[in-house]
Every structure is written in C-alpha cells, then in structure tokens.
Amino acid sequence: MPLVDVTFTDVRAGFAADDYAIGSSARGVTDGVGSRLTININVTNANGVVINPKAVITYADGTTDTCQETDLRRLPNLQASTTSWDLPCGDDFPEDISGASVVVTDDYE
C-alpha cells in the first residue's frame, strides 16, 4: 500500500526526440520499497534503442528531486509494447505537489 501516491500534471520533455514522446502526466509513489516516478510515453519508432531517461521534479518552493535509473542493466529501450517507464527517485514525495513540474531528458541524447 503506497504511503504517498501523487499525479504530476505538468510534465514536459526537455529534448526533441523522433522515436518517442513523453506523456503529459506522471505518477509518483512513495512506499516501503522507496520512491519511484512512472513516466507515460508513446513510442513512435520501436527500434530497440536503449535510452537513459532522467526526470527532474521542481516543486513550488524551488526544491528539486531527480529520478533516474542508476543500474545500467535496467535502462529501458524502445519497444512497441512500452507505454511507461518507472524511475527510482532520491527523495520521498510530499503529499502536496501543487505547483510542481517535471522535465524529462534523455542522458543518451
């Protein structure tokens, strides 16, 4: 059972990609396992390319949190069946995320 379950509605791509697009919302969960951000995506070219997505959350008070896979063996690749990515985050999510924004980049871009 999640301790905190929030939906970010201001999600943007910080890059231009021809092979996939970032969705307009993301789900943040903090539970007994840790914190993770689920980014929705739309793969337009399922070419199997490995990517390294990084999401930086900026809260209304200016604090930030970075969500990114650190285990290179778990990096996602572009498959037709891929609709989202789960990224581990450094900090727990607050219950009030009003005014927060998420910018997603690809460290391999």
Side-chain angles (χ1 to χ4, degrees), residues 4-76:
V4 176
D5 190 339
V6 294
T7 300
F8 295 90
T9 57
D10 182 1
V11 178
R12 292 171 269 132
F15 62 98
D18 295 330
D19 298 331
Y20 62 98
I22 302 297
S24 61
S25 66
R27 179 180 180 209
V29 173
T30 298
D31 57 18
V33 177
S35 295
R36 64 196 167 280
L37 184 70
T38 301
I39 302 289
N40 299 312
I41 60 148
N42 179 27
V43 175
T44 55
N45 184 9
N47 56 13
V49 169
V50 175
I51 57 175
N52 189 0
K54 175 172 72 173
V56 176
I57 303 166
T58 303
Y59 295 100
D61 66 1
T63 60
T64 62
D65 186 16
T66 300
C67 304
Q68 184 173 27
E69 183 58 64
T70 56
D71 183 347
L72 298 179
R73 298 170 295 176
R74 294 179 47 93
L75 291 178

Side-chain angles (χ1 to χ4, degrees), residues 69-89:
E69 183 58 64
T70 56
D71 183 347
L72 298 179
R73 298 170 295 176
R74 294 179 47 93
L75 291 178
N77 58 42
L78 300 178
Q79 300 296 324
S81 60
T82 305
T83 59
S84 65
W85 300 315
D86 290 331
L87 304 175
C89 301

